[in-house]
Amino acid sequence: MFVKKPLTLALISCVTLHAQETIERLDPALDKIIAPDAKIETLCKGFQWSEGPVWDAKGERLLFSDVPRNIIYQWKEGDTEASIFMKPSGFTGVSEYGREAGSNGLAFDAKGQLVCCEHGDRRLSYLTPEGGKRTLTDNFEGKRYNSPNDLAIAKDGSVFFTDPPYGLPQKGNFREMDHHGVYRVDPQGKVSLLVKDLDRPNGVALSPDEKILYVAQSHQPAPVIMAYPLKADGTVEEGKIFFNTKDLKGPGSPDGIKIHSNGTVFSTGPGGVLILDKSGKLLGRIICGRPTANIAFGPNEKSLYITSQDRLLRVALP
């Protein structure tokens, strides 16, 4: 059973700027996106692999996953500790499953329901207002997903999600799919396979006008961010490389991705968080000094929350 009411779990008191963390400015245009005097705050730390942050407007809190621990944490302004929001978060079995069995990407739908990508249970689920969990989808054409990783929800309720193999156990033949797909669940619950030629699709996001689907690939031979024009029927046209991170130095690869309402693309990647304009030009990076998983905007897009390996970071936005 998951924990509905938060239980306090002490981590480490809030600290300030870390020596490894800095903002790398490559273009003057970045100053309009992140102020020249902006700092990187460390809000709390002590996690195994923090992931999938989302701002909960109703609860006035940030929710985020710790995938290996099978926990969703919550953090509120003024907290010096994170607390448990849900446990288990992504695997409800009774035996050992794998190193990354918990939830990953999180998002809220138009009804205010929390939608979760679950590695261990290999499904997308949603949390009802009464506190019960229900399955949104757990298979495509009768075959179980690998380990749903990240998601983006369109204005019409369609859910786009990626399905790489990262959450599968290292031992044993658990795969049922012969590809690592990008899928769409339409408002009626029908699932369509949109992309199947990416080796490791990971983060996924929609442009503000919902005409482009961005997919980040965490694959060392081709660490790229792809852009797919979206058709009116929800399918995609042939994709093109929006940005290739192969020449960037630093730990990590393309993972989580979010798009600001002004079209600025924020994607985790080598070094931390990449900031790109609409054309794919790299304006700068938030250097985190460690592999960085995902990002989320705070209220009114005035802050950027970053899940960076063992810690939760924040940078103010204008």
Side-chain angles (χ1 to χ4, degrees), residues 96-243:
E96 184 71 21
Y97 182 75
R99 294 184 298 108
E100 299 183 26
S103 63
N104 196 317
L106 309 173
F108 282 96
D109 64 15
K111 297 178 181 179
Q113 299 175 139
L114 181 65
V115 184
C116 308
C117 291
E118 300 187 8
H119 278 191
D121 286 344
R122 300 167 73 170
R123 64 174 179 168
L124 263 65
S125 68
Y126 61 95
L127 191 63
T128 68
E130 295 78 22
K133 257 191 180 184
R134 294 185 179 178
T135 298
L136 179 62
T137 179
D138 61 5
N139 74 90
F140 177 67
E141 297 181 343
K143 295 182 179 180
R144 297 183 70 192
Y145 299 118
N146 300 306
S147 53
N149 187 285
D150 207 356
L151 73 165
I153 302 180
K155 295 172 186 175
D156 70 353
S158 298
V159 180
F160 298 84
F161 71 97
T162 58
D163 187 39
Y166 295 120
L168 289 173
Q170 299 299 306
K171 296 180 179 179
N173 183 19
F174 288 80
R175 282 190 61 184
E176 297 183 20
M177 300 286 188
D178 60 0
H179 58 265
H180 304 134
V182 180
Y183 298 88
R184 173 180 179 258
V185 186
D186 72 14
Q188 290 72 46
K190 181 182 177 181
V191 183
S192 302
L193 175 62
L194 303 182
V195 181
K196 66 176 182 178
D197 60 353
L198 293 178
D199 290 291
R200 295 293 187 273
N202 202 322
V204 60
L206 290 161
S207 62
D209 60 7
E210 300 192 346
K211 292 183 178 180
I212 300 174
L213 181 72
Y214 294 94
V215 180
Q217 174 163 253
S218 301
H219 187 51
Q220 287 306 317
V224 298
I225 300 169
M226 298 293 296
Y228 296 89
L230 269 172
K231 300 179 183 179
D233 62 359
T235 59
V236 297
E237 297 178 10
E238 184 177 355
K240 64 178 182 180
I241 295 176
F242 177 73
F243 188 77

Side-chain angles (χ1 to χ4, degrees), residues 74-93:
Q74 68 166 359
W75 178 88
K76 291 188 175 184
E77 188 66 48
D79 285 353
T80 57
E81 303 170 352
S83 59
I84 294 176
F85 172 75
M86 184 188 299
K87 181 182 180 180
S89 65
F91 179 60
T92 54

Side-chain angles (χ1 to χ4, degrees), residues 45-58:
K45 60 182 180 178
F47 313 104
Q48 287 189 34
W49 182 251
S50 55
E51 255 284 11
V54 65
W55 182 257
D56 176 7
K58 184 176 180 180

Side-chain angles (χ1 to χ4, degrees), residues 12 19 24 26 59 65 98 107 179 181 204 227 248 252 306 314:
I12 292 180
E24 178 184 66
L26 304 175
S65 303
H179 58 265
V204 60
L248 295 179
I306 306 167
R314 180 173 62 182

